[in-house]
Amino acid sequence: MASFLFIVFIFANALPTLAQIVHQHDFIVQASRVTRLCKTQNIVTVNGQYPGPTLEINNGDTLVVKVTNRAKYNVTIHWHGIRQMRTAWSDGPEFITQCPIRPGTSYTYRFTVEGQEGTLWWHAHSSWLRATVYGALIIHPKQGTSYPFAKPNRETPLILGEWWNANPIDVVREATRTGAAPNVSDAFTINGQPGDFYNCSSKDTIVVPINSGETNMLRVINAAMNQQLFFTVANHKLVVVGADASYLKPFTTNVIMLGPGQTTDVLITADQTSARYHIAASAYQSAQGAPFDNTTTTAILQYNTSSCSSKQKCVSTKPVEANLPKFNDTRIATKFTTTLRSPRKAPVPTDIDENLFITAGLGLNKCPSGSNASKSCQGPNGTRFTASMNNVSFILPSKVSLLQAFDQGIGGVYTTDFPPNPPLKFDYTGNVSRSLWQPISGTKAYKLKYGARVQVVLQGTNIFTAENHPIHLHGYDFYIVAEGFGNFNPNTDTAKFNLIDPPMRNTASLPVGGWVVIRFVADNPGTWIMHCHLDAHITWGLAMVFVVENGIGESQKLEPPPADLPVC
Ligand SMILES: *[C@@H]1O[C@H](CO)[C@@H](O)[C@H](O)[C@H]1NC(C)=O
Ligand SMILES: *[C@@H]1O[C@H](CO)[C@@H](O)[C@H](O)[C@H]1NC(C)=O
Ligand SMILES: *[C@@H]1O[C@H](CO)[C@@H](O)[C@H](O)[C@H]1NC(C)=O
Ligand SMILES: *[C@@H]1O[C@H](CO)[C@@H](O)[C@H](O)[C@H]1NC(C)=O
Ligand SMILES: *[C@@H]1O[C@H](CO)[C@@H](O)[C@H](O)[C@H]1NC(C)=O
Ligand SMILES: *[C@@H]1O[C@H](CO)[C@@H](O)[C@H](O)[C@H]1NC(C)=O
Ligand SMILES: *[C@@H]1O[C@H](CO)[C@@H](O)[C@H](O)[C@H]1NC(C)=O
Ligand SMILES: *[C@@H]1O[C@H](CO)[C@@H](O)[C@H](O)[C@H]1NC(C)=O
Ligand SMILES: *[C@@H]1O[C@H](CO)[C@@H](O)[C@H](O)[C@H]1NC(C)=O
Ligand SMILES: *[C@@H]1O[C@H](CO)[C@@H](O)[C@H](O)[C@H]1NC(C)=O
Ligand SMILES: [Cu+2]
C-alpha cells in the first residue's frame, strides 16, 4: 500500500514562488472477510481496511488517489464535500461525472483543496457500495495557520456506519426487485465496530483514550446509509466548532444530530472523574410508523489509568451509560440544526438571480401492467416505492456520464427542463390527494449560468409520509439561511432569513414536514447532483442535477477530461 507525500516546486520566472504539497495514495478496492455480530462475511473494502484509510491533508494541498478496482462490482469514489473547483471529473458519482471504474481497471482522482478546513469523508458512489467503502478525509488548517480555537491535545475521527448481516448490494437489489422498502440494518457502528450492546461485539468496542484535563476534538462523521443519528458522550459537554469542513461559532450541547453525509467537529474536555464513559449514537427517525434500526452503537471514552486513584477499578468499571434522545425527538434535532452559526459575518448572496422552489419526498408507483404484482409490487397496497424532486424521479444515464455529455456537447443524455417550481401547487405538508403521488421519471437537469446567485427553497412533502431528508449538493458549500415546519410562505418566512451569519454546509437537514432555504453562487462549472443522502431515497430517484455553464475566463472553465477517465 503505497502512501507517500512529496513536494513539487513550481517555478515561475525561474524562481520558486509556491510550494505545492501533493499527497499520493493508492486505493485498492477489494473483497475482504470480516466478522461482525457473530457472523463472518465478505465485504468490499479499500486496502482491506474497514473503515477505509483516513486521509490527512492541509487546506491548500493536492490529493492524487489512484483507485484500482479488484472487486467484482463497478465502483467510483466520491470526495464528499470537496468543492472540486474546475475538477468535476474527480467528483465521483457514477454516471454523473464519470462512468464506473470496472473490475480490473483503475482511475486516478486529482484535486486541490481550496479554502476548506475541518472534517470531510470519502465514500463509494455506486450502488450501495458505500455501506463498507468509506473513510475520513481530514483537512488541517492551511500551512502556517491554526484553528480559530485553542489547539486540542488530541483529535479522533469517529465514523458512524451502518451494518447489515447481509451483502448490502443484495439488500438494495432485493428492494429494487420487489418495489418494497429495503431491509433495515442490523447495527450501527463507530469506526467499524458496533460496540457493547450487540452480540459478539463487546470485546472489539472502540476505545478513545483521554487524559484528565485534556481536550480532544472528536471529528464525527455520519456514514450511515439510511439513518439520521443522534450522538452523545456520557456526562461530557460537547463544544461544537465546525460542520462539513466549515467553522462554526462555538456552542455547547449534550447531543448533536447528523444526517448521512454530515460531519460535526466537537471538543470534549476530560473534566469528569477518571472512569470509562460511553460515546453513543442511535437513530433520529422522523417518519412515523416506518420500520428502522432502533439499536445503539457505542465506543468508550477511557480516562488514562495512570491518573486513576485505583487503577484496577478504573479500567474494569462498566462504562457510564449515555442518555440519547428518543428516536422521534424532532425538537432536539431542530434545536441543534437551528443553533448553528458561522463564526462571523458571512458573504451570503443577497441579490438572487435564480430563485428555485423544489419539493422533495416519496411517492408510490402503480404496479406496471403485465408485471407479477406478488413479486415486483410489494410496496404499500401492491405499489412500488419511488421518490422525486418537483415530481421528477431521477434516472441515471448508462451510456455516457452527464459531465461528458456536457463537456462534449453530446445530445440525448439529459434534458435541461427540470422545473424551477413544482409543476402543481398543493398543500405540500397536508393531506396530499392520492392522485398526486405518482411522479414522472427522467434525467432532468437545471442549467445555471456561471456566477449565478442561487436560492433554493427545499420543501418536504407529506406524500406517503413526511420525513427528514439530508439533502446533499455536490461541488458546492451553501449557506442555510432558514428552516421551518409546514409549507414555506414567501410572504412571511423571508423575515426569518439569517443573512448575517448562517452556517455553511454541503448537506442540509430538510425538516420533517418542513422546509429549508439554501443560497450559493454557481462559480464551479460542471454537472452537480443534488440528492437525498439516504441511499434508499436516492435509489428511488430523490435527486436532480445542476448543470453549471463555463464562465469566460480560463479560470472559470472546467478542465479537460483526464486521459484515464473510464468509458461506459
Ligand atoms: C430481508 O429480510 C427478510 C426478512 O427478515 C429476509 O428473509 C431476507 O433474506 C432479507 N434480505 C436480504 C437481502 O438480506
Ligand atoms: C443475541 O444473542 C441471543 C442469544 O443467542 C439472541 O437471543 C438474540 O436474539 C441476539 N440478539 C441480537 C440483537 O442479535
Ligand atoms: C426495537 O424495536 C423492537 C421491535 O419493534 C422492539 O421489540 C424493541 O423493544 C425496540 N428496542 C428498543 C431498544 O427500543
Ligand atoms: C497517561 O498519563 C501518563 C502520566 O500522566 C502519561 O505519561 C501517559 O503518556 C498517558 N497515556 C496516554 C495514552 O496519554
Ligand atoms: C414518538 O413515538 C412515541 C411512540 O414510541 C409516540 O407515543 C410519540 O407520540 C411520538 N412523538 C412524536 C413527537 O411523534
Ligand atoms: C407470480 O409470482 C407468484 C409467486 O412467485 C407465483 O406463485 C405466480 O404463479 C406468479 N404469477 C404469474 C402470473 O406469473
Ligand atoms: C392501503 O389500503 C388500505 C385499505 O384500502 C388503506 O386503508 C390504506 O390507506 C392504503 N395505504 C396506502 C399507503 O395506500
Ligand atoms: C385525506 O383526504 C382523503 C380524501 O381526499 C380522505 O378520504 C381522508 O380521510 C383524509 N385523511 C385525513 C387524515 O384527513
Ligand atoms: C406528477 O406528475 C404526474 C404525471 O403527470 C401527475 O399524475 C401527478 O399528479 C403529479 N404530481 C405532482 C405532485 O405534481
Ligand atoms: C459496469 O458499468 C458498465 C457501464 O460502464 C456496464 O455496462 C456494466 O454492466 C456494469 N457492470 C456491472 C458488473 O455492473
Ligand atoms: Cu430522503
Side-chain angles (χ1 to χ4, degrees):
M1 171 190 351
S3 166
F4 52 88
L5 165 73
F6 58 92
I7 300 178
V8 181
F9 286 98
I10 297 170
F11 291 86
N13 302 323
L15 286 169
T17 54
L18 177 69
Q20 179 66 49
I21 312 279
V22 180
H23 305 255
Q24 197 149 314
H25 295 269
D26 276 328
F27 272 21
I28 310 294
V29 179
Q30 60 185 74
S32 304
R33 282 188 88 64
V34 302
T35 303
R36 292 293 183 283
L37 308 181
C38 328
K39 190 181 172 205
T40 302
Q41 62 183 26
N42 271 330
I43 62 168
V44 181
T45 65
V46 166
N47 300 347
Q49 293 170 246
Y50 169 69
T54 296
L55 305 183
E56 295 201 47
I57 60 176
N58 289 88
N59 175 12
D61 294 356
T62 295
L63 260 175
V64 177
V65 185
K66 181 179 182 190
V67 177
T68 301
N69 186 2
R70 294 208 187 119
K72 63 177 179 181
Y73 305 106
N74 284 334
V75 75
T76 65
I77 303 288
H78 169 52
W79 314 92
H80 184 111
I82 295 279
R83 292 229 33 214
Q84 300 288 1
M85 294 300 289
R86 304 173 56 228
T87 53
W89 303 109
S90 285
D91 190 40
E94 179 179 74
F95 299 118
I96 303 293
T97 60
Q98 67 168 99
C99 292
I101 307 169
R102 296 190 195 216
T105 68
S106 50
Y107 176 50
T108 301
Y109 295 86
R110 292 167 199 275
F111 52 88
T112 299
V113 174
E114 296 179 30
Q116 300 184 286
E117 295 184 5
T119 306
L120 293 175
W121 59 301
W122 55 266
H123 63 78
H125 213 299
S126 173
S127 184
W128 274 26
L129 284 178
R130 81 169 181 84
T132 58
V133 178
Y134 61 83
L137 201 176
I138 292 169
I139 311 170
H140 294 288
K142 210 172 184 58
Q143 294 284 347
T145 71
S146 189
Y147 299 112
F149 43 85
K151 192 178 185 328
N153 304 88
R154 291 171 200 263
E155 301 183 6
T156 308
L158 295 175
I159 317 190
L160 313 177
E162 192 165 2
W163 181 263
W164 278 262
N165 263 338
N167 179 345
I169 302 298
D170 292 344
V171 174
V172 65
R173 283 185 181 162
E174 180 180 67
T176 301
R177 195 174 61 243
T178 64
N183 284 2
V184 299
S185 52
D186 296 293
F188 297 110
T189 56
I190 297 179
N191 292 353
Q193 292 294 343
D196 293 345
F197 294 149
Y198 299 88
N199 286 342
C200 315
S201 304
S202 185
K203 71 172 176 26
D204 297 316
T205 301
I206 295 290
V207 171
V208 178
I210 197 161
N211 291 327
S212 271
E214 262 188 12
T215 297
N216 189 344
M217 175 155 65
L218 306 179
R219 298 173 174 275
V220 190
I221 300 164
N222 186 348
M225 294 294 282
N226 294 319
Q227 193 63 64
Q228 294 84 344
L229 293 164
F230 287 120
F231 171 94
T232 193
V233 181
N235 293 20
H236 288 73
K237 295 273 182 232
L238 309 176
V239 179
V240 177
V241 293
D244 296 5
S246 289
Y247 293 117
L248 292 170
K249 190 169 290 176
F251 69 95
T252 303
T253 179
N254 293 319
V255 57
I256 62 175
M257 190 281 286
L258 307 97
Q262 295 182 321
T263 75
T264 307
D265 293 342
V266 300
L267 303 174
I268 55 165
T269 300
D271 55 6
Q272 297 296 304
T273 316
S274 283
R276 287 145 51 90
Y277 297 88
H278 264 157
I279 296 170
S282 64
Y284 164 48
Q285 172 67 20
S286 61
Q288 276 191 20
F292 70 101
D293 181 343
N294 67 2
T295 62
T296 299
T297 181
T298 54
I300 295 168
L301 181 71
Q302 182 166 298
Y303 278 60
N304 190 338
T305 51
S306 57
S307 59
C308 263
S309 47
S310 158
K311 291 182 191 183
Q312 210 55 35
K313 193 161 176 260
C314 194
V315 201
S316 61
T317 43
K318 262 189 71 164
V320 177
E321 284 200 18
N323 277 322
L324 280 157
K326 202 167 153 49
F327 71 92
N328 59 357
D329 200 331
T330 291
R331 198 188 57 83
I332 289 185
T334 306
K335 181 154 192 290
F336 175 70
T337 56
T338 55
T339 303
L340 308 188
R341 295 280 182 281
S342 280
R344 62 188 64 81
K345 185 163 169 29
V348 188
T350 48
D351 299 316
I352 297 298
D353 303 305
E354 294 274 4
N355 191 355
L356 289 82
F357 187 103
I358 301 181
T359 61
L362 302 187
L364 295 178
N365 278 336
K366 292 192 191 76
C367 197
S369 58
S371 57
N372 187 336
S374 69
K375 282 184 173 161
S376 58
C377 305
Q378 295 181 28
N381 293 349
T383 61
R384 292 176 58 81
F385 270 111
T386 181
S388 64
M389 284 181 145
N390 273 353
N391 206 36
V392 184
S393 186
F394 189 78
I395 307 277
L396 287 171
S398 59
K399 301 274 182 287
V400 61
S401 74
L402 295 187
L403 192 61
Q404 282 171 294
F406 163 76
D407 186 56
Q408 294 156 32
I410 304 167
V413 180
Y414 63 89
T415 55
T416 54
D417 56 348
F418 181 83
N421 288 289
L424 217 97
K425 284 204 168 70
F426 57 99
D427 179 4
Y428 310 109
T429 53
N431 180 10
V432 184
S433 160
R434 196 53 203 253
S435 64
L436 305 183
W437 285 25
Q438 179 160 332
I440 61 162
S441 57
T443 309
K444 293 185 187 293
Y446 189 81
K447 214 195 280 185
L448 292 172
K449 285 212 162 19
Y450 182 90
R453 294 158 297 184
V454 185
Q455 169 173 297
V456 184
V457 177
L458 289 158
Q459 172 69 60
T461 77
N462 203 8
I463 294 177
F464 183 68
T465 180
E467 183 167 1
N468 175 294
H469 300 276
I471 305 292
H472 174 47
L473 173 60
H474 287 229
Y476 289 90
D477 283 328
F478 47 72
Y479 290 107
I480 301 180
V481 301
E483 65 169 78
F485 292 100
N487 299 337
F488 176 76
N489 182 335
N491 299 319
T492 54
D493 286 328
T494 46
K496 298 174 188 154
F497 286 9
N498 174 4
L499 302 178
I500 309 293
D501 60 356
M504 187 184 238
R505 303 203 74 157
N506 61 54
T507 306
S509 300
L510 172 54
V512 49
W515 50 268
V516 62
V517 181
I518 65 171
R519 289 188 178 188
F520 63 96
V521 178
D523 59 359
N524 191 13
T527 54
W528 304 108
I529 187 167
M530 180 167 79
H531 64 90
C532 180
H533 218 285
L534 302 178
D535 269 43
H537 293 181
I538 189 177
T539 303
W540 292 335
L542 214 170
M544 58 79 69
V545 166
F546 285 111
V547 171
V548 179
E549 295 178 324
N550 284 313
I552 293 159
E554 269 318 296
S555 66
Q556 303 179 345
K557 287 187 164 60
L558 176 67
E559 289 179 357
D564 61 344
L565 185 72
V567 290
C568 288

